[in-house]
Amino acid sequence: MKKAYIWRGMIYMAGLLILALGITLNTKTGFGVSALVSVSYCVSVLWNLNFGNMTFILYAVFMLFEMAIHLAEHMSRAKAGPAAGGGCQRRSLAQELFLDLLQLPMSLILTRFINLFGALIPDFAAEGQGGFAGSMAGRLLMLLFAIVCTGVGSAMSLNMRLVPCPADGVVQVFADTKGIGVGLVKNGFDFLNLCIALALGLIVGHRVIGIGIGTVAAMLGVGRVIAVFNGFFMKRLCTVAGVESRA
């Protein structure tokens, strides 16, 4: 059992590392960033701030939204009375808020990885000119690799059922409390982030920042990568880590 917990932690951390690599590579191709970090990327470019730090602040905002949703849900159930619970067992408000708070150190780890890769990986569009890495074909290949890394990293970390990324957590909480499908909420949440990033770029910078073909490709491709990875590897990873497979 102890060995399984060690494997679980190792797979989870490896997933965060690969996820951070995918997010960073997406920004370095020059084709646009993933939707969930489009706001933090736009802010970092407009005010010359650190991308990883701005992503951490964005994730903290997502975490606060989760806490607000949980608080509102518990207050609503308290007003409705015991019958509103439907007889099913639920976590207490303190437990829900504590689990939400755990996403803060998780976000710190993920964004430190983003800063590390951001410092090590060059900007292919600007610094790779004259070589394959800066060519259209090279950047498209790197975009494909970024999408694969993002999907694999997301699948590995999520399957370990430890602490979710706040971007995933806020989508799941909203879907659960409102009775809406996770996929639909995810699409709406991505669209909302893109609209905010687009508005910020046009109003403050008078240009579109961080939104391009890479943004659309990531929105369409990451989910498919997660599905393929889970189809081939989820049961094996979950067995090694002592986690019940959802397949």
Side-chain angles (χ1 to χ4, degrees):
M1 182 62 70
K2 185 177 179 181
K3 185 177 180 180
Y5 278 118
I6 293 173
W7 273 110
R8 191 176 181 183
M10 289 174 62
I11 294 170
Y12 179 76
M13 292 301 295
L16 293 185
L17 187 70
I18 296 170
L19 174 60
L21 176 61
I23 291 172
T24 307
L25 283 173
N26 211 319
T27 68
K28 298 290 187 174
T29 61
F31 289 125
V33 303
S34 61
L36 288 177
V37 294
S38 58
V39 175
S40 58
Y41 181 79
C42 183
V43 170
S44 69
V45 171
L46 286 172
W47 286 281
N48 194 27
L49 298 169
N50 181 272
F51 173 51
N53 293 343
M54 292 304 101
T55 302
F56 175 72
I57 292 174
L58 178 68
Y59 283 173
V61 172
F62 290 163
M63 182 204 70
L64 290 175
F65 271 119
E66 286 183 66
M67 298 178 78
I69 293 172
H70 278 138
L71 183 60
E73 181 195 14
H74 279 264
M75 290 176 65
S76 176
R77 288 210 307 268
K79 288 181 179 179
C88 60
Q89 188 176 8
R90 295 177 180 267
R91 296 190 184 102
S92 68
L93 177 59
Q95 288 174 323
E96 295 282 13
L97 297 181
F98 176 71
L99 291 173
D100 291 341
L101 280 172
L102 287 179
Q103 294 178 22
L104 208 57
M106 176 271 178
S107 301
L108 184 62
I109 294 171
L110 176 62
T111 55
R112 294 318 92 186
F113 284 153
I114 290 176
N115 275 348
L116 174 64
F117 288 125
L120 295 175
I121 300 173
D123 188 326
F124 299 110
E127 301 174 38
Q129 295 182 4
F132 178 73
S135 66
M136 180 67 71
R139 289 161 57 205
L140 286 172
L141 185 63
M142 200 58 64
L143 174 62
L144 177 62
F145 184 60
I147 292 171
V148 170
C149 286
T150 303
V152 170
S154 295
M156 289 175 66
S157 57
L158 287 172
N159 286 335
M160 294 303 100
R161 302 197 194 182
L162 292 173
V163 181
C165 170
D168 296 319
V170 70
V171 167
Q172 187 67 61
V173 168
F174 191 85
D176 290 344
T177 55
K178 301 301 179 182
I180 306 173
V182 174
L184 183 61
V185 176
K186 167 70 172 168
N187 290 339
F189 194 61
D190 284 346
F191 183 71
L192 175 62
N193 278 276
L194 288 178
C195 287
I196 294 172
L198 185 63
L200 272 174
L202 292 175
I203 294 171
V204 180
H206 308 293
R207 68 188 193 279
V208 176
I209 298 174
I211 300 174
I213 187 175
T215 308
V216 178
M219 289 177 65
L220 297 176
V222 170
R224 295 301 86 211
V225 172
I226 291 174
V228 171
F229 181 86
N230 283 344
F232 283 99
F233 301 108
M234 183 175 70
K235 286 185 178 180
R236 186 177 302 175
L237 285 178
C238 289
T239 299
V240 169
V243 180
E244 184 181 353
S245 174
R246 285 171 283 188

